[in-house]
């Protein structure tokens, strides 16, 4: 999946000025994947994309899952964030990937 995202950005159709990509991802390694993709792209490629990563603290099959809300937040973030952004969207927060950290004690 990661290589597919990178290839899609690098070889995007010329008529697409800006790609908006939402990635649903497990929360255990989401930050690491976001940073890997960000660091794998050239400045030129990154300037033409907005990537929003999101996940859920409870799976979609649970009644009180936050998955749908988080996906909606990520879709909105791709329209609001400046080109070149790689962000994590969880619980209504949109945070640049490089500013994200996981609290080991809580796993959040």
């Amino acid at each position: 999946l990661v290589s597919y995202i990178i290839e899609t950005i690098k070889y995007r159709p010329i008529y697409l000025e800006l790609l908006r990509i939402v990635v649903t991802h497990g929360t255990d390694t989401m930050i690491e994947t976001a940073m890997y993709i960000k660091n794998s792209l050239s400045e030129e490629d990154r300037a033409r994309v907005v990537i929003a990563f999101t996940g859920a603290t409870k799976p979609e099959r649970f009644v009180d899952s936050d998955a749908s809300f988080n996906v909606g937040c990520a879709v909105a973030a791709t329209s609001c964030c400046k080109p070149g952004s790689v962000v994590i969207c969880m619980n209504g927060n949109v945070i640049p990937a490089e500013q994200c950290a996981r609290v080991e004690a809580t796993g959040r």
Side-chain angles (χ1 to χ4, degrees):
L1 176 65
V2 172
S3 60
Y4 177 76
I5 293 169
I6 293 168
E7 294 301 312
T8 298
I9 294 165
K10 287 185 178 185
Y11 301 109
R12 71 195 168 283
I14 205 78
Y15 59 86
L16 291 177
E17 291 185 27
L18 181 66
L19 289 176
R20 302 172 197 276
I21 299 172
V22 173
V23 179
T24 57
H25 197 291
T27 55
D28 289 345
T29 59
M30 184 186 316
I31 298 168
E32 291 82 0
T33 303
M35 288 305 300
Y36 179 83
I37 289 176
K38 181 176 181 171
N39 293 331
S40 296
L41 297 173
S42 68
E43 289 282 330
E44 180 183 347
D45 288 333
R46 204 166 49 235
R48 293 187 161 183
V49 68
V50 176
I51 306 172
F53 281 79
T54 192
T57 54
K58 290 185 180 179
E60 179 68 32
R61 67 180 168 266
F62 292 148
V63 175
D64 58 345
S65 173
D66 57 343
S68 297
F69 177 79
N70 289 340
V71 168
C73 181
V75 169
T78 64
S79 293
C80 299
C81 293
K82 66 180 181 177
S85 298
V86 178
V87 297
I88 306 290
C89 302
M90 294 289 292
N91 303 318
N93 297 303
V94 179
I95 303 168
E98 64 274 8
Q99 294 178 11
C100 284
R102 187 174 296 100
V103 178
E104 296 299 326
T106 63
R108 293 182 180 218

